[in-house]
Amino acid sequence: HEALRGPIRNSGGGYVNHRLFWNIMGPSKGGEPSGDLAAAISSAFGSFDAFKEKFSQAAATQFGSGWAWLYVDTNKSPATLEVTSTANQDTPAMEAGKVPILGLDVWEHAYYLKYQSKRAAYIDAWWNVVNWDEVATRYEQARA
């Protein structure tokens, strides 16, 4: 069974990560979250702009292929929002109680055709398609 661990981790992680990625974006989206999610982001990071800077930094500095994440840590009481990055197809969900609600694919294949090696430009443009309503729904589900 140990021989299957890597392939399952990579394939399973790829599926789970991309399923979230494609569902938290949409045309004519972007802007800022509202309601409970906006309040939680402000509480955890000080402001939406501070969150956006921290998340973008996690995405920009992920060495090689990977992901940047906003996740709900349900191990804490009350549950808190955290930002992290992971390599390859790893996800915070690999640890009990960590529920990703926003993820950005920073594998080069995600942006190379349009942005070449300009990861920062890709990250900046990505904020314009984040579907905050979907992220808020995932936030509420994680806290339930």
Side-chain angles (χ1 to χ4, degrees), residues 1-137:
H1 297 310
E2 194 60 36
L4 297 176
R5 184 179 302 274
I8 290 172
R9 180 180 190 155
N10 290 334
S11 296
Y15 171 77
V16 169
N17 294 353
H18 285 93
R19 184 172 168 93
L20 178 124
F21 180 66
W22 293 115
N23 283 300
I24 54 89
M25 296 186 296
S28 304
K29 297 295 181 184
E32 296 185 18
S34 59
D36 289 345
L37 177 59
I41 286 172
S42 290
S43 176
F45 304 103
S47 68
F48 177 74
D49 287 338
F51 154 70
K52 191 173 169 180
E53 183 176 326
K54 184 170 185 166
F55 187 96
S56 295
Q57 185 69 15
T61 58
Q62 171 57 45
F63 180 77
S65 300
W67 293 79
W69 301 100
L70 174 65
Y71 69 91
V72 180
D73 188 342
T74 64
N75 297 311
K76 297 179 180 175
S77 183
T80 60
L81 290 174
E82 304 284 344
V83 167
T84 194
S85 63
T86 59
N88 302 317
Q89 296 295 8
D90 291 354
T91 169
M94 295 168 74
E95 297 180 41
K98 295 183 177 181
V99 183
I101 61 171
L102 181 69
L104 176 56
D105 184 348
V106 292
W107 283 64
E108 198 171 65
H109 68 244
Y111 59 89
Y112 191 81
L113 288 177
K114 185 166 184 174
Y115 298 97
Q116 288 75 46
S117 61
K118 299 176 182 91
R119 186 186 281 188
Y122 160 69
I123 295 165
D124 287 343
W126 176 78
W127 290 107
N128 296 320
V129 296
V130 174
N131 181 348
W132 288 110
D133 292 335
E134 177 64 24
V135 178
T137 297

